[in-house]
Amino acid sequence: MTPLRIVFAGTPDFSVAPLEALIDSPHEVVAIYTQPDRPAGRGRKAMPGPVKQKALEQGIRVMQPASFREEGAIEALAALEPDLMVVVAYGLLLPQAVLEIPRLGCINIHASLLPRWRGAAPIQRALLAGDSESGVCIMQMDAGLDTGPVWLEKRISIAGDETGGSLHDKLAALGAEALMEALPLIARGESQPVPQPEEGITYAHKLTKEEATIDWSAPALAIHRLVHAFNPWPVAHAGLGGQQVRIWDSSLPGQACDAAPGTVVRTSGDGIDVATGDGVLRITRLQMPGKRAITAQEFLNARSADGMIFD
């Protein structure tokens, strides 16, 4: 296969593994597009994202338009004469004029089994819904929201203790593998991507901090899924004694309970058992305001949870 001239577009950690795979491949990464630096940290200093940091380490040209409506942005991309544009969690919409520039078009690594979970937060939505499997798709991009035909799909099972963070890392690595498998198919031009089915379409809407507030009247299973899906962001939380407590991990002891939702019904070295609308949720890791995250046992060593009620 003749090496391709590739423009890579991505911004967060999820994009780094596929970028590293491209850098280590015979293909030439001629430029990297990433979102403008954002303020971060206590000093709110503009900081480069993970993809930009990797690009600077490798001496690859970095482009950071705020949008492709900027004057000269489309012309600058066309001047690179790319064979292909690889897009991974870039965060900017690509207009049709951009999609048409590369000789082989633009492909996207999407972290779901399309057409399930099109949109911004497929990893967390899969966990919230209790999906038994996830995966990545290499999709030929079109003008729609994750509607393009699929070149290649790779699946993995979702573990019972999976979190948003652990599934993110698995799918990032899987995306890099899938990309390397798909590039020869795309370059040879001997096959075509497969259109997505019309059935089974769901949308993974963007996460909000408000969604992370625990409703103790919900079933224990739903709260448990929320805790895991929102770790490490935005982190499930609940009120306790006028303070907001972040819940980092939980389990399901499988107990029935008729106490009022939010009531602590039992404590042990295994965790803090809280009544819900259906069953009991066991909190195993939590964090008080201004403190580090600790195990439930560490929390109980410092105070009694008897009679506690979570808001």
Side-chain angles (χ1 to χ4, degrees), residues 178-202:
L179 176 63
M180 291 300 101
E181 289 183 28
L183 286 178
L185 301 175
I186 297 168
R188 285 197 297 265
E190 297 172 357
S191 60
Q192 293 297 317
V194 178
Q196 295 182 33
E198 295 295 328
E199 303 79 29
I201 297 171
T202 57

Side-chain angles (χ1 to χ4, degrees), residues 168-288:
H168 167 284
D169 293 349
K170 290 177 183 179
L171 294 182
L174 193 66
E177 293 178 20
L179 176 63
M180 291 300 101
E181 289 183 28
L183 286 178
L185 301 175
I186 297 168
R188 285 197 297 265
E190 297 172 357
S191 60
Q192 293 297 317
V194 178
Q196 295 182 33
E198 295 295 328
E199 303 79 29
I201 297 171
T202 57
Y203 288 93
H205 299 289
K206 186 177 180 179
L207 302 180
T208 67
K209 290 184 178 181
E210 290 73 24
E211 286 182 273
T213 301
I214 293 175
D215 175 5
W216 294 105
S217 66
L221 177 58
I223 300 173
H224 177 65
R225 288 174 177 171
L226 183 144
V227 168
H228 281 217
F230 288 175
N231 174 353
W233 193 91
V235 187
H237 58 264
L240 180 65
Q243 295 182 299
Q244 187 180 92
V245 181
R246 305 175 93 189
I247 311 299
W248 284 92
D249 204 358
S250 64
S251 63
L252 296 169
Q255 301 168 219
C257 180
D258 58 4
T263 303
V264 174
V265 296
R266 181 176 179 270
T267 61
S268 70
D270 294 328
I272 301 167
D273 292 357
V274 185
T276 73
D278 182 10
V280 170
L281 181 82
R282 177 167 291 164
I283 298 172
T284 57
R285 191 169 185 82
L286 67 166
Q287 182 179 15
M288 299 299 291

Side-chain angles (χ1 to χ4, degrees), residues 22-168:
L22 282 175
I23 291 171
D24 291 340
S25 76
H27 305 291
E28 180 185 3
V29 181
V30 296
I32 288 176
Y33 277 71
T34 191
Q35 287 198 46
D37 298 355
R38 302 281 189 242
R42 292 183 178 179
R44 307 305 294 165
K45 180 181 178 182
M47 299 292 292
V51 164
K52 182 178 178 179
Q53 293 178 40
K54 176 59 65 173
L56 295 176
E57 289 174 11
Q58 298 294 322
I60 301 171
R61 182 179 182 182
V62 175
M63 313 285 277
Q64 293 182 278
S67 83
F68 281 95
R69 290 190 294 270
E70 283 186 5
E71 183 177 355
I74 290 178
E75 291 78 7
L77 175 60
L80 296 169
E81 299 182 342
D83 293 311
L84 182 71
M85 188 170 186
V86 176
V87 182
V88 191
Y90 180 29
L92 291 182
L93 293 175
L94 302 186
Q96 187 64 34
V98 168
L99 299 179
E100 294 173 356
I101 288 173
R103 178 175 63 85
L104 298 171
C106 302
I107 62 170
N108 174 248
I109 302 178
H110 187 74
S112 82
L113 301 173
L114 292 168
R116 186 159 177 80
W117 303 127
R118 294 174 177 173
I123 294 172
Q124 294 82 2
R125 297 300 174 195
L127 293 175
L128 284 170
D131 290 2
S132 61
E133 64 176 355
S134 184
V136 295
C137 286
I138 307 298
M139 179 192 71
Q140 190 75 29
M141 297 179 70
D142 60 17
L145 177 62
D146 300 327
T147 56
V150 174
W151 284 99
L152 186 143
E153 174 188 88
K154 293 182 80 72
R155 294 172 175 257
I156 60 169
S157 297
I158 295 179
D161 60 351
E162 205 79 73
T163 66
S166 65
L167 186 55
H168 167 284

